[in-house]
Structures are given as structure tokens and as C-alpha cells.
Amino acid sequence: MMLTTRRWIAAAGLLMLPAVAAAHSLDDVETMLGDKEKYFQQIDKPVPDFTLQTADGRTVRPADLRGQVVVLNFIYTSCPDVCPLHSEKIAEVQGMINHTPMKDLVTFVTVTTDPTNDTADVMQGYGPAHGLDPVNWLFLTKLQGQPEDATRKLAEAFGHGFDKTDEGLQIHGIVTHVIDADGRWRANFHGLKFQSVNLLTFVNALTNGSVPEHGHDSGSWWDTVVDLF
């Protein structure tokens, strides 16, 4: 049986992982990525606080995500260029992770910076349109009563801006943030050119405290790859 495109991506990423992950500790992984991934930025600080909600009104705070490694990004759905590409990059990484035991340990969070136009209906249609799996992905917006720029202010707290133009567009950069299970902001991956397997490697180090070994033990990464075929 032929694999779907997503499963081929996952298999390719998993096969590459042992080759790039020669180190074992999180410190070693950070050093390795600092040397090999020019779009990687190591960080170690508390995650900026927020209180936001899903399209169906469920409130989400950083405390609600404790125990999960969080991959977080900001977009707005009417963005004509890089936001869709960013979402699809996140979906690619999610597809790789969700074919491993990390699926239950990682949550992907997207925050809209245009809460006025990104209504509940718009938000509910966005994920499926860009390949994001709601099983461990949240799309967040501001709470009713919060200022219109609340999520843009949150983006600023994460170190980058979404500046509105008179035409309704937003001038912004592209950053993927990684938060550990203790709620500390541990890394940024800048732009769209970072290697997805490097984000996968870093997330794995945060979920396991180590990088996978080369062995083929039961439950190993090799078994996971074999199970894809």
C-alpha cells in the first residue's frame, strides 16, 4: 500500500533523526542546533502570560498547557503570503510528530493577530484548509472584552510585531516558538527555511530529556518508522 504524502514526510523525518541527533542531553541538542541550524535561537525564560480562547469559547492559559511541550505561532487568516506557508510548515512538523509517541506530549498552538476578522467560523475552517490536525492543535483568539490588539501585544511579548496597515494587512516576521512542559520558553525557529527535522529533534529532547538512540528496541523510533509502511 502506498503511503500518503504526510506519512512519507513523517517517515523521512524519523529516518533522518538519528543521523542528526548524535548527542544525548538537551544541552547537547541545543549546542548541535546552534552549530547546524542557523535559524535556531536558544532561549530560557518564562513564557509570556496570556488568557485567550478557542473558537468554541474554551479559555486557555499557559497553566492549562503545563505538562505539554508547546509549539506556538502567530498568524492572521487573511494574510496573502507567508501566514499560509507558516501554517503548512507547522502542519508538516505536526504530521511528523503525530506519527510518533510524542503525539500525546506535544500541543500546537496558533494565535490569530486579527481577532476582529478571524471569527469563530473562519477559525474553524482554517485548520482543515492547511492540514492541521485538531487532535493536538489549538487556534486561539482574544476574549470578549479584551482590547482588539490583545493578541498583537502578545506577539510583541514574544519578541516580534504584527503592525497593521491602512489596507488591513499586517507587516510581520515569522517565528515558531517552543515552550517546554514546565512553561518555560526554550527556543525560537525563525522564518520558513529551518529544517523541520531540527524542530522535531528539539521537541523530542524536551519530551524525553534525551535524543533517540540508534538501536531497534521495542517501541523504538525504528519500530515507529516500520509501522508507517
Side-chain angles (χ1 to χ4, degrees), residues 25-218:
S25 71
L26 176 60
D27 288 343
D28 287 341
V29 171
E30 290 173 332
T31 298
M32 179 192 72
L33 292 179
D35 292 339
K36 295 180 178 292
E37 176 57 79
K38 65 180 180 180
Y39 301 106
F40 170 77
Q41 177 189 6
Q42 180 182 348
I43 297 173
D44 188 3
K45 62 177 66 175
V47 65
D49 195 23
F50 60 81
T51 303
L52 300 174
Q53 67 178 13
T54 61
D56 60 3
R58 179 163 60 93
T59 301
V60 178
R61 302 177 178 87
D64 300 317
L65 301 170
R66 289 289 180 92
Q68 293 277 297
V69 173
V70 176
V71 178
L72 183 147
N73 72 313
F74 294 85
I75 62 96
Y76 67 106
T77 67
S78 61
C79 176
D81 40 45
V82 292
C83 289
L85 296 176
H86 194 186
S87 297
E88 289 160 13
K89 181 83 169 180
I90 297 296
E92 176 186 335
V93 175
Q94 185 193 33
M96 296 164 71
I97 283 174
N98 284 6
H99 281 97
T100 77
M102 287 187 286
K103 178 179 179 179
D104 296 329
L105 303 173
V106 182
T107 297
F108 294 83
V109 175
T110 298
V111 180
T112 174
T113 59
D114 187 13
T116 298
N117 294 307
D118 289 344
T119 63
D121 287 344
V122 171
M123 292 170 66
Q124 287 168 348
Y126 190 82
H130 295 280
L132 291 154
D133 187 345
V135 71
N136 59 344
W137 173 73
L138 300 172
F139 198 0
L140 303 182
T141 187
K142 75 177 187 70
L143 297 177
Q144 186 174 4
Q146 287 181 330
E148 191 274 338
D149 66 349
T151 54
R152 293 194 295 281
K153 292 292 187 183
L154 180 60
E156 290 179 10
F158 273 96
H160 58 112
F162 280 71
D163 301 319
K164 293 189 74 172
T165 69
D166 292 339
E167 295 77 23
L169 300 176
Q170 297 182 28
I171 300 170
H172 64 93
I174 306 168
V175 188
T176 303
H177 310 281
V178 186
I179 301 162
D180 70 18
D182 294 322
R184 292 194 67 81
W185 176 14
R186 299 304 300 264
N188 289 339
F189 285 76
H190 293 271
L192 295 173
K193 293 184 179 180
F194 66 84
Q195 295 296 311
S196 295
V197 71
N198 287 338
L199 176 53
L200 178 70
T201 299
F202 187 71
V203 168
N204 180 76
L206 291 177
T207 59
N208 288 342
S210 64
V211 178
E213 300 281 357
H214 292 259
H216 297 175
D217 297 334
S218 177

